[in-house]
Amino acid sequence: MLQGENRTITIYDIAKEAGVSPATVSRVLTNNANVRSEKKEKILALIEKYDFEPNTLARGLAETKTQTIGILSADIRNPYYASMFIACEQAARAVGYTAVLCNFLGEKESEMKLLKSLQKQRVDAIIQFGGRVDDLTSEEEYVEFANQIMATTPLVVTGKLDGTRCHIVRIDSMKAMDLLMEHLLGLGHRKIALIGGRRDVLSTFEKYQRYKQILKERQIEFDPRLVPEQGNYNAQTAYQQMTELLDAGVEMTAVIAINDFSALGIMQCLTQRGYRIPEDISVVSYDNTYMAEVSVPTLTSVDYNYEEYGRKLIDTATALIDGRKVGRVRMVTPTLVVRGSSGKCRES
């Protein structure tokens, strides 16, 4: 319940208690017909309850849209994030919005500053991919901060933020692992390494868990040596981990790389050590960025249907802006693009 004795009730207070967006309250105040009757009645009841009378300036601010959507990206230099932004930008343009990019380069302090900056610029909604929304366990400080942002600005993320009511549009990571494992198992592979990524990242954790489940379902013994624990998402770390596996004499016939960057590091290591791809060892990956098409051999990779992904993100954001009902969690189904880096197991 709102407490109005010691402070002024705002349009955002009314919206929060009514369970609607500030834009919906604004439409009721201006007698806009595009509000469902049950919502309108609830808002009018709260307006009467608190004797709410917005001043002209406040009403004008509530009604005004900037027709911009802020995009907060972890690192646009990564072609995955670049593909994501382009897809969002095109989808936004198609519905009359401009996408504004902020790039925090993986720096936590910048992540929060830029999120606040987008709010101050009065963007109509914010979409965030990467950073703390990827964490397996959400940081309490960031959750509280995000809730403050959402008091005025809708937030859509590609991971999750426990303790918030933010909307989520994300890849079905379990399905992504299914696609690669089914492909490799169908080619006769049983000794399959999984290289790259951190287990405190939601999507990586889900892929790792699904990898183990599939092995168990196929009655294939899990070999922890094939899954290095401390990974990352760059070519250098993957190169080093591949080197360590080969030096330790760990047998494998295929490698799943956590992304295309990691795949390039793995392929470089294998080539330098005299292995043929895919004749000796197959290599597959996630993200299907431009690197998959220009690598030698070309890389089998899971595609995230970026165009559909961008449309769902923008559609969710604009639904929240307009006060339209939209599912809180929406999934994007990946597909597999088979190229030259995967082939039949040499032992089958």
Side-chain angles (χ1 to χ4, degrees):
M1 180 178 293
L2 302 177
Q3 301 295 325
E5 294 85 351
N6 299 318
R7 68 178 180 86
T8 301
I9 298 299
T10 70
I11 193 172
Y12 301 107
D13 296 319
I14 298 292
K16 184 176 181 180
E17 185 165 339
V20 299
S21 69
T24 301
V25 178
S26 175
R27 285 196 292 272
V28 172
L29 291 169
T30 56
N31 295 316
N32 190 310
N34 190 27
V35 180
R36 292 206 303 266
S37 58
E38 61 269 24
K39 285 186 178 181
K40 185 174 183 179
E41 290 172 6
K42 190 171 186 179
I43 292 167
L44 288 173
L46 289 170
I47 289 171
E48 182 178 355
K49 176 182 176 181
Y50 294 111
D51 193 23
F52 178 64
E53 294 183 4
N55 59 44
T56 303
L57 176 60
R59 182 177 295 173
L61 288 173
E63 293 169 7
T64 302
K65 290 183 182 179
T66 62
Q67 295 299 125
T68 58
I69 295 174
I71 307 289
L72 190 61
S73 168
D75 192 342
I76 202 67
R77 295 171 299 186
N78 184 327
Y80 163 73
Y81 292 120
S83 299
M84 288 285 291
F85 174 70
I86 290 170
C88 286
E89 184 178 41
Q90 291 174 337
R93 189 181 300 137
V95 293
Y97 279 81
T98 299
V100 177
L101 175 66
C102 286
N103 186 41
F104 56 89
L105 299 176
E107 298 172 359
K108 288 186 175 183
E109 187 175 341
S110 295
E111 187 175 350
M112 296 178 74
K113 284 182 177 179
L114 289 172
L115 191 58
K116 186 66 175 178
S117 175
L118 286 170
Q119 182 192 40
K120 287 182 177 179
Q121 292 175 47
R122 298 184 57 247
V123 296
D124 297 324
I126 298 171
I127 296 171
Q128 179 175 352
F129 30 81
R132 275 174 275 193
V133 302
D134 282 349
D135 290 346
L136 179 61
T137 303
S138 301
E139 279 190 16
E140 184 176 351
E141 179 189 16
Y142 199 73
V143 167
E144 292 178 357
F145 183 73
N147 277 324
Q148 293 172 14
I149 297 295
M150 283 185 283
T152 62
T153 311
L155 178 63
V156 183
V157 304
T158 59
K160 69 180 180 70
L161 275 176
D162 297 325
T164 76
R165 295 296 298 171
C166 71
H167 279 64
I168 296 165
V169 180
R170 62 183 298 257
I171 292 292
D172 186 341
S173 299
M174 297 284 197
K175 177 63 176 177
M177 179 56 77
D178 287 346
L179 291 171
L180 289 182
M181 288 294 282
E182 288 169 6
H183 175 63
L184 292 174
L185 290 167
L187 292 171
H189 295 280
R190 296 296 181 271
K191 298 172 184 176
I192 303 170
L194 175 59
I195 293 179
R198 303 195 324 269
R199 310 260 177 90
D200 60 350
V201 172
L202 175 64
S203 60
T204 301
F205 177 79
E206 290 180 338
K207 289 168 183 172
Y208 170 72
Q209 291 297 327
R210 184 58 185 150
Y211 166 87
K212 293 204 297 182
Q213 289 170 7
I214 293 170
L215 290 178
K216 187 174 183 179
E217 290 167 3
R218 295 297 188 97
Q219 299 182 328
I220 300 171
E221 184 177 356
F222 170 69
D223 184 351
R225 297 177 303 166
L226 290 169
V227 189
E229 288 190 10
Q230 297 301 323
N232 213 307
Y233 299 89
N234 58 60
Q236 294 79 11
T237 302
Y239 180 97
Q240 181 60 36
Q241 291 189 320
M242 190 73 243
T243 299
E244 291 170 359
L245 288 181
L246 295 176
D247 287 345
V250 178
E251 293 185 15
M252 71 199 80
T253 63
V255 181
I256 297 174
I258 203 64
N259 62 10
D260 292 345
F261 271 128
S262 297
L264 292 184
I266 291 164
M267 293 167 77
Q268 182 183 20
C269 174
L270 289 172
T271 301
Q272 289 177 353
R273 299 287 285 261
Y275 290 90
R276 299 169 301 162
I277 304 169
E279 291 84 359
D280 298 322
I281 297 180
S282 290
V283 180
V284 298
S285 178
Y286 294 97
D287 291 359
N288 195 36
T289 64
Y290 72 86
M291 292 187 293
E293 297 182 87
V294 300
S295 66
V296 180
T298 55
L299 180 62
T300 294
S301 189
V302 172
D303 184 80
Y304 294 148
N305 297 319
Y306 291 104
E307 187 175 342
E308 177 197 355
Y309 204 168
R311 278 199 305 265
K312 282 191 175 182
L313 284 163
I314 295 299
D315 177 67
T316 301
T318 55
L320 295 173
I321 293 166
D322 296 337
R324 291 184 280 116
K325 188 174 182 179
V326 65
R328 184 166 175 264
V329 179
R330 304 175 73 183
M331 303 299 285
V332 176
T333 303
T335 56
L336 181 65
V337 180
V338 178
R339 297 193 181 91
S341 66
S342 57
K344 288 185 178 181
C345 177
R346 66 175 185 266
E347 297 176 0
S348 61

